[in-house]
Amino acid sequence: MSRGTAADRRQDLIDAALRVIAREGVGGATTRAITREAGVSLGYFHYVFTSRDELITAVIDEVTDTDRFQGEEGGLAGRSAETDPAGVIEAGLNAYLDLLMASPHREQAMLELTLSALRMPDGQQQAKRQYEVYHRSAAEVLDAIARACGRSWATPVEDLAELLVVMTDGLTTTWLATRDSAAARRGARICAEAVTAHLEPDPVSTGPASLSHRR
Amino acid sequence: MSRGTAADRRQDLIDAALRVIAREGVGGATTRAITREAGVSLGYFHYVFTSRDELITAVIDEVTDTDRFQGEEGGLAGRSAETDPAGVIEAGLNAYLDLLMASPHREQAMLELTLSALRMPDGQQQAKRQYEVYHRSAAEVLDAIARACGRSWATPVEDLAELLVVMTDGLTTTWLATRDSAAARRGARICAEAVTAHLEPDPVSTGPASLSHRR
DNA sequence: GTCTATAATGGGATAGAC
DNA sequence: GTCTATCCCATTATAGAC
């Protein structure tokens, strides 16, 4: 543990902080708890970071949840997008729900960090950047699905990406509060269908009707 | 301020706590800040509550967000549900967004309180109860809409209520992070259409196609 | 009931030894 | 670089006066 560069130690502290926050919440993430978790002395903390706030900010910057739409992309590897686009989105949402249910504390930590960022100087911009990443990931997935099934979206992809982000966030908070996994799975299916309802009708076969996008 | 029953003083402290939490976050809601806000002495706090945790628990119990689906019910007062059910839901979501945008700190406080409850003994049950209230409110609104337009839901109302709760939560966190009001409004419209897509087709006129609910 | 005063703890941050 | 020791402040909670 005591080997490596200065940057490594910084990273060790960030990782330790994330574990502590997941376990105890942002409020419980004291410098003492974090340094204990990282196996360094309290004094060393202030050699690496000037303040606790600086660490929290660094944690937020680090942990934009890169796994969030990974499941979606995994689902695209299977070839089913062509025949069952809703199934692909549902599978992606379910992959995220698997992640959430396996590590609820981690996802709760993400939420707490975002909310605490909103109360810190520059935090609003940090949060904005974080959500832009989510938004872009979601938009890419939607583009890929449309390409895979040779159809196009009847509603701007940015709006549908926003919808997907909203749904992911909503499923997270709702499940964290209720722990009703069956309801979350049903929600994922309904959400997936709601998104794919915005696919233009397949030019050849007669699929389910699409929703038009009012302007 | 110094008049009233013991229950009144308790209530004063709970109200003060909520204001402080909205302003400073849960972490900043110290007994000192709360008693200062309420205009009582620090010592008096522990005459009313045995501990800070007990107060936070009381705040959570108190503030289940009763306004959350109030806009929906307001929208029902207008007679448009018969001809434009999606418009009613959209108006309800927009009424909630108005509330959110007018008092972002208040809604953020709600979220922080829910998350902090999840880390307290018995907090999971508290959160569950809170979301049951939301769920029931949403289900009632959906029932009322179906009744108003003389149609029925093709998907269990409980599932659609869940969807509405998910969307409300998701719109909240997303807007708090991005402050993109235009996107939130577009999201509200798309969400409203997604819900009403689950209305059975009107038996007389030929409306837009409905989604079937797979079992 | 409501206050003041104080105890007891825990926190962030720094000084300085090694 | 990394640690120990320490400072100083804020916090929760209690004791006891009024």
Side-chain angles (χ1 to χ4, degrees), chain A residues 101 174-186, chain B residues 128 162:
Chain A
M101 292 169 186
T174 304
W175 182 82
L176 281 175
T178 65
R179 298 296 161 118
D180 187 336
S181 299
R185 299 295 183 183
R186 287 194 299 272
Chain B
K128 227 173 264 195
E162 165 93 3

Side-chain angles (χ1 to χ4, degrees), chain A residues 9 41 44 47:
Chain A
R9 311 312 303 275
S41 73
Y44 187 65
Y47 173 74

Side-chain angles (χ1 to χ4, degrees), chain B residues 9 41 44 47:
Chain B
R9 310 313 301 275
S41 73
Y44 188 66
Y47 173 74

Side-chain angles (χ1 to χ4, degrees), chain A residues 75-204:
Chain A
L76 283 167
R79 218 130 323 188
S80 50
E82 190 173 340
T83 65
D84 182 18
V88 172
I89 294 187
E90 184 184 344
L93 287 174
N94 273 320
Y96 170 70
L97 287 178
D98 290 341
L99 194 84
L100 169 64
M101 292 169 186
S103 315
H105 295 301
R106 188 177 176 278
E107 292 303 318
Q108 180 170 349
M110 298 285 179
L111 269 171
E112 287 180 22
L113 281 168
T114 302
L115 290 179
S116 78
L118 294 177
R119 299 200 182 277
M120 290 166 62
D122 258 17
Q124 184 74 59
Q125 292 181 26
Q126 253 186 321
K128 227 173 263 194
R129 264 183 274 127
Q130 199 181 344
Y131 273 73
E132 266 163 29
V133 172
Y134 296 156
H135 199 275
R136 206 172 350 259
S137 306
E140 278 166 17
V141 170
L142 290 172
D143 275 336
I145 287 175
R147 236 178 291 115
C149 66
R151 294 158 74 182
S152 64
W153 295 105
T155 306
V157 176
E158 299 78 41
D159 294 2
L160 297 178
E162 165 94 2
L163 184 65
L164 216 46
V165 172
V166 164
M167 286 166 167
T168 306
D169 256 15
L171 286 170
T172 302
T173 51
T174 304
W175 182 82
L176 281 175
T178 65
R179 298 296 161 118
D180 187 336
S181 299
R185 299 295 183 183
R186 287 194 299 272
R189 169 177 292 168
I190 293 179
C191 288
E193 286 169 351
V195 172
T196 47
H198 291 264
L199 271 176
E200 294 280 16
D202 189 328
V204 285

